[in-house]
Amino acid sequence: MKKKAGKSDITQGLVILLALGLTACGSKQIDQEEIFTVLSNDHDLINAPVYAELESGNYDENTVVCLNSETEIIPGQIETVSGTKHKLWWVVNQTAGESKTYTINRDEQCSTVNFSWETVSDGATRLVLGDQPIIQYEHPVYDKDNVEETKKPFHHVYNPAGNELISNGPGGLYPHHRGIFFGFSQIYRDGSDEQINIWSSSNGERSEHVEIIKEFTGPVMGGHIVQIDWKDREGNSFIEETREIRVFQQPAGESLIDFHSTLKALDGPVRLEGDRQHAGVQFRAAQFVADHSEQTRFIRPAHLSHLQPDEEIGEEDMMNLSWNAMNFKIEDQPFTVAYLSHPSNPDAEMSERLYGRFGEYFPHYLTADDPLTAGYRFWITTHEEPSANDIGLRHHAYVSSGI
């Protein structure tokens, strides 16, 4: 696999050391003080989510914990992975070269607002932070008499500073592009030349929500794991997608959304193909952006700084970007959506469209024994347009955190 452009200068920017006194040698009974040290080696960590792994029967997802450092008390959140295995999540801020040590405190009440899920309708659930909507999972039941409204699940994105959607849904220009979405326009099962188009889903093929496997709620992180089946023209499931979304606590006016997907072939090998405009994991902004595309600008890594920000990227520059960002306005409010690609993703081609869509595509040969995993982080801000360095720091934190 080729290195993504800009990856060669990434060093390990984050190390978490877990010290459990005498229990660090493998005992599962934690009866001493839990201490965690975060080292930010080469880069600043700015509102960066991190986790430490725990093995103890003394925790569950209802356990309220705070983390004490020398200078602050901040919320922590327990996620149970299995049995006595847990992850402890929190958000850190520290400068390059700084070391911070945290101790678990179960006696403090340090969070004032939590992530939670609420039902919007039979086909939509919404993640809120307090009473502020963050994302909305649209998962309608497929209806062959109303294909346009029901042909794919996706995640709508809300204004981090308000309660209005900044992503596109059904309707408007190219309505098969919706929020944060995933698909391929040219899919072929072994032994068949029939094209299955999960991108447009016009001939009975579609991606369809099956179930919500797990929900995450708490003061640090909210999200869920869902199963989505990709179905052929006859409605038979041939790919199972497990999609994991996590949203992390951020300052006012910002959102941080992690997207992680695993695709598994159910009935023989599958070729996932398409092109950079019609496949992959992409973000589509609201219709207002398409109506005012002259206001769209792109922020790119340093090696692409010679390109004009109001022009779409060309084929010669589109390969293996570590990150890209799109700046646009809805009414008079500016937004920047930074798209951070995990270096473990396959080699990919970036796509940009001034009407408000961007993301990357890669072809892949999928089998039951060799599933595809892909990971992305979306940093959304309403503040002054971030610099390439600002976005690069977020990408370094994403890469080095192990998430």
Side-chain angles (χ1 to χ4, degrees):
M1 181 183 296
K2 297 178 183 177
K3 291 182 179 179
K4 289 183 179 293
K7 182 183 174 186
S8 59
D9 61 355
I10 294 175
T11 58
Q12 185 70 13
L14 173 64
V15 179
I16 299 177
L17 301 178
L18 172 59
L20 299 176
L22 298 177
T23 65
C25 296
S27 171
K28 294 185 178 181
Q29 182 178 353
I30 297 179
D31 54 9
Q32 299 194 25
E33 192 174 58
E34 297 101 329
I35 302 173
F36 309 90
T37 299
V38 179
L39 308 176
S40 48
N41 289 344
D42 298 333
H43 304 283
D44 295 344
L45 297 176
I46 305 170
N47 304 308
V50 298
Y51 72 86
E53 295 181 343
L54 303 174
E55 287 199 39
S56 169
N58 296 335
Y59 297 103
D60 60 38
E61 294 185 346
N62 295 317
T63 304
V64 177
V65 297
C66 297
L67 291 166
N68 289 29
S69 71
E70 292 182 359
T71 59
E72 60 184 349
I73 301 176
I74 60 173
Q77 181 175 331
I78 300 293
E79 174 195 347
T80 298
V81 178
S82 63
T84 59
K85 295 182 182 294
H86 312 280
K87 290 181 178 180
L88 170 64
W89 292 91
W90 71 103
V91 174
V92 301
N93 283 280
Q94 54 193 76
T95 58
E98 184 180 3
S99 172
K100 268 191 180 181
T101 298
Y102 298 87
T103 303
I104 289 182
N105 185 331
R106 303 197 200 196
D107 299 323
E108 294 280 350
Q109 287 289 339
C110 55
S111 64
T112 59
V113 63
N114 284 348
F115 287 98
S116 62
W117 284 96
E118 61 184 23
T119 299
V120 178
S121 66
D122 289 342
T125 56
R126 180 186 297 144
L127 181 68
V128 298
L129 179 59
D131 58 2
Q132 165 64 46
I134 306 295
I135 59 170
Q136 185 162 304
Y137 178 45
E138 299 285 348
H139 51 95
V141 176
Y142 179 74
D143 182 353
K144 62 182 179 60
D145 296 321
N146 186 16
V147 172
E148 190 58 30
E149 296 283 338
T150 64
K151 62 185 179 182
K152 64 172 66 180
F154 66 99
H155 284 84
H156 254 318
V157 179
Y158 280 89
N159 177 352
N163 59 5
E164 295 182 347
L165 292 168
I166 64 169
S167 57
N168 193 56
L173 181 69
Y174 306 132
H176 47 277
H177 304 154
R178 301 177 186 180
I180 298 173
F181 63 106
F182 189 19
F184 291 84
S185 59
Q186 300 173 32
I187 303 176
Y188 301 93
R189 303 166 77 172
D190 264 15
S192 173
D193 59 1
E194 179 180 90
Q195 178 179 331
I196 302 173
N197 186 345
I198 295 296
W199 194 258
S200 299
S201 302
S202 302
N203 298 295
E205 68 269 60
R206 71 269 189 184
S207 52
E208 190 168 9
H209 169 77
V210 176
E211 65 172 330
I212 297 173
I213 299 171
K214 184 175 183 178
E215 292 184 337
F216 306 113
T217 59
V220 176
M221 176 266 294
H224 59 197
I225 301 173
V226 299
Q227 181 185 331
I228 298 169
D229 279 5
W230 294 23
K231 298 188 174 184
D232 61 20
R233 296 183 181 186
E234 289 71 44
N236 300 311
S237 299
F238 69 100
I239 291 176
E240 179 182 283
E241 177 185 0
T242 304
R243 185 178 301 183
E244 186 171 321
I245 300 288
R246 296 174 187 268
V247 182
F248 296 96
Q249 178 77 265
Q250 295 289 289
E254 298 183 25
S255 294
L256 195 68
I257 304 168
D258 278 6
F259 176 104
H260 184 273
S261 177
T262 299
L263 299 183
K264 180 180 179 181
L266 296 176
D267 185 22
V270 177
R271 300 195 328 268
L272 303 172
E273 299 179 0
D275 59 68
R276 65 191 180 109
Q277 311 297 350
H278 303 95
V281 175
Q282 306 216 9
F283 172 86
R284 171 64 192 277
Q287 177 62 28
F288 186 93
V289 180
D291 295 337
H292 302 82
S293 59
E294 72 281 356
Q295 299 183 92
T296 303
R297 301 288 185 272
F298 291 99
I299 309 166
R300 308 181 182 101
H303 73 284
L304 297 179
S305 61
H306 62 285
L307 299 176
Q308 293 300 312
D310 59 348
E311 295 181 1
E312 295 163 353
I313 199 168
E315 292 186 7
E316 68 278 8
D317 300 304
M318 66 189 182
M319 290 298 298
N320 296 327
L321 299 192
S322 297
W323 60 265
N324 197 4
M326 182 169 62
N327 179 264
F328 54 88
K329 286 185 177 179
I330 297 178
E331 302 298 343
D332 294 326
Q333 173 66 60
F335 297 92
T336 300
V337 177
Y339 179 107
L340 314 180
S341 178
H342 199 277
S344 64
N345 293 335
D347 289 352
E349 305 174 26
M350 177 60 65
S351 168
E352 295 177 344
R353 282 294 181 258
L354 291 168
Y355 63 72
R357 176 184 57 77
F358 76 139
E360 67 177 23
Y361 151 73
F362 48 81
H364 195 79
Y365 188 73
L366 187 68
T367 68
D369 296 329
D370 188 18
L372 166 68
T373 60
Y376 298 91
R377 173 170 288 176
F378 297 86
W379 177 46
I380 303 168
T381 177
T382 61
H383 304 319
E384 182 179 352
E385 181 178 312
S387 67
N389 184 64
D390 293 331
I391 300 168
L393 286 174
R394 265 71 177 187
H395 186 262
H396 282 297
Y398 179 40
V399 169
S400 58
S401 65
I403 296 175

